[in-house]
Amino acid sequence: MLPWAQAGAAPQAAGLSVCVSLQRPSPDVKAELFELLFRTLHHNWRYFFKSTVLASVQRGIAEEQMENEPQFSAIMQAFGQSFLQPDIHLFKQNLFYLETLNTKQKLYHKKIFRTAMLFQFVNVLLQVLVHKSHDLLQEEIGIAIYNMASVDFDGFFAAFLPEFLTSCDGVDANQKSVLGRNFKMDRDLPSFTQNVHRLVNDLRYYRLCNDSLPPGTVKL
């Protein structure tokens, strides 16, 4: 579990030391800081992940050994924290950075990300959609959720989605069951993102209805 609620980390890569302080008031400093973190990862990827050439030749796949895990986790924690902030420009920038790292370096497929971070990021992005805090980025967020979920669709449908619905407040057990049944197990991008947005809209609808009903009223 990434302690995203805690600010402050000190990642180092290839001799570069970066102090992460997300509580500073200047959004310009934050944007520049995250650009530096992105470049640290992008240009020093082998500082964190080293390919085993022999295994690649023998098995036809690129196996990478994880190194400097605390520093990598600290950088990912910083990105996770940024998605909890209201700054839509910072959110858009950092989502682009993560997607770029996934395209160039297969970030979401790395074992450490897949096992310890993947569904935490998916959860945060879904919550952002539910709370409509960054509506202008709905499409980008939907695509990012798909790219993350597609790494482990089985885990998403069988484990993450039920846990996400269980944790949702403002809806009863029957409504959660309906939301789960209505989420089709489509694995293509257009259908998946459509299902995500339907889930978000239905969840908001149920909450709105429940909030407007007098106590003790039978809910939809």
Side-chain angles (χ1 to χ4, degrees), residues 1-51:
M1 181 76 65
L2 293 177
W4 288 355
Q6 300 176 0
Q12 297 177 344
L16 177 63
S17 177
V18 182
C19 180
V20 180
S21 179
L22 298 179
Q23 293 181 337
R24 292 186 178 184
S26 172
D28 294 333
V29 173
K30 289 180 183 177
E32 293 175 358
L33 176 58
F34 280 107
E35 181 181 358
L36 180 58
L37 291 178
F38 165 70
R39 293 184 180 278
T40 298
L41 286 174
H42 187 48
H43 297 298
N44 301 281
W45 193 253
R46 292 196 177 187
Y47 178 79
F48 302 103
F49 300 96
K50 291 190 175 180
S51 299

Side-chain angles (χ1 to χ4, degrees), residues 165 168 170-181 210 219-220:
L165 292 174
C168 288
V171 288
D172 61 30
N174 180 62
Q175 292 167 339
K176 293 176 182 179
S177 178
V178 173
L179 291 171
R181 290 198 305 270
N210 295 341
K219 298 177 181 177
L220 298 175

Side-chain angles (χ1 to χ4, degrees), residues 75-138:
I75 295 177
M76 288 296 103
Q77 174 185 322
F79 276 100
Q81 286 178 315
S82 74
F83 293 140
L84 303 175
Q85 300 180 23
D87 188 337
I88 190 171
H89 300 292
L90 185 66
F91 188 105
K92 181 177 182 178
Q93 170 191 279
N94 289 354
L95 190 62
F96 171 77
Y97 286 159
L98 288 188
E99 289 283 271
T100 300
L101 289 172
N102 184 56
T103 300
K104 302 291 186 181
Q105 310 288 359
K106 297 295 182 184
L107 169 65
Y108 305 155
H109 297 260
K110 302 308 176 190
K111 183 178 180 181
I112 185 175
F113 192 93
R114 205 173 59 244
T115 59
M117 307 173 187
L118 182 69
F119 288 141
Q120 292 188 63
F121 276 96
V122 174
N123 180 66
V124 169
L125 295 179
L126 274 174
Q127 294 291 354
V128 168
L129 289 178
V130 170
H131 292 290
K132 301 184 69 173
S133 56
H134 297 77
D135 263 7
L136 293 176
L137 302 177
Q138 285 187 55

